[in-house]
Amino acid sequence: PAGTPNAMAVDAVGRTAYVGWFDSPSVGSSSVYAVALPHGGAPTLVAVLAGDILQLAVEESGTIVAGTSGSPGLLRIDPATLAVTHAHPTLGCCNAIEIERATGDIFALSGCPAPGAYRVTPSGVGTFLFLPPLGYDETIPSGLAMHHDPAFYGSPTPASEP
């Protein structure tokens, strides 16, 4: 495809990679393509989105979550029907997104209209978590990661004696 790749995510079973491209020449839209894994092949167009693609993630169900420069710009793409819906009604400029596996909630760092870190439920309800430091009003962090399989190490702290 013409343009510049800027985002990529792989489905939970590792059979499909989704790649987000800025359309060329930067026309204010982006395209999301699917590529079969592990051997690749010709990319298949999944969606054309308004705004610049910033980030992709894939939910356990296989639904693609895209962060774009628009507002609203946190989107869900159904790869089976190719339907695009808003994951949240107002969050935009989502340059970092991650799916929490236990709940299916989306964690997003949004740059507009109200900058900050948000938790968005599968039903689209968003909760403001915090405003990251370091001049966040001028820059948007571009990565977010979770440790999905935490484990305990060492001996537990004994309970306090009465």
Side-chain angles (χ1 to χ4, degrees), residues 19-40:
V19 183
W21 293 74
F22 293 134
D23 290 333
S24 179
S26 191
V27 294
S29 66
S30 297
S31 299
V32 177
Y33 293 89
V35 178
L37 295 176
H39 303 295

Side-chain angles (χ1 to χ4, degrees), residues 26-59:
S26 191
V27 294
S29 66
S30 297
S31 299
V32 177
Y33 293 89
V35 178
L37 295 176
H39 303 295
T44 303
L45 181 65
V46 176
V48 176
L49 308 174
D52 293 328
I53 188 80
L54 301 175
Q55 194 64 264
L56 290 172
V58 181
E59 295 175 321

Side-chain angles (χ1 to χ4, degrees), residues 44-135:
T44 303
L45 181 65
V46 176
V48 176
L49 308 174
D52 293 328
I53 188 80
L54 301 175
Q55 194 64 264
L56 290 172
V58 181
E59 295 175 321
E60 292 292 317
S61 67
T63 300
I64 305 159
V65 178
T68 71
S69 61
S71 182
L74 186 60
L75 309 170
R76 280 195 172 92
I77 306 165
D78 182 329
T81 66
L82 308 183
V84 178
T85 57
H86 298 290
H88 187 274
T90 61
L91 290 182
C93 306
C94 293
N95 202 34
I97 53 178
E98 178 72 30
I99 311 298
E100 201 278 316
R101 290 182 194 157
T103 62
D105 290 355
I106 301 167
F107 285 77
L109 296 177
S110 172
C112 61
Y118 291 84
R119 182 178 193 151
V120 179
T121 66
S123 63
V125 176
T127 302
F128 175 79
L129 299 174
F130 63 91
L131 182 65
L134 304 175

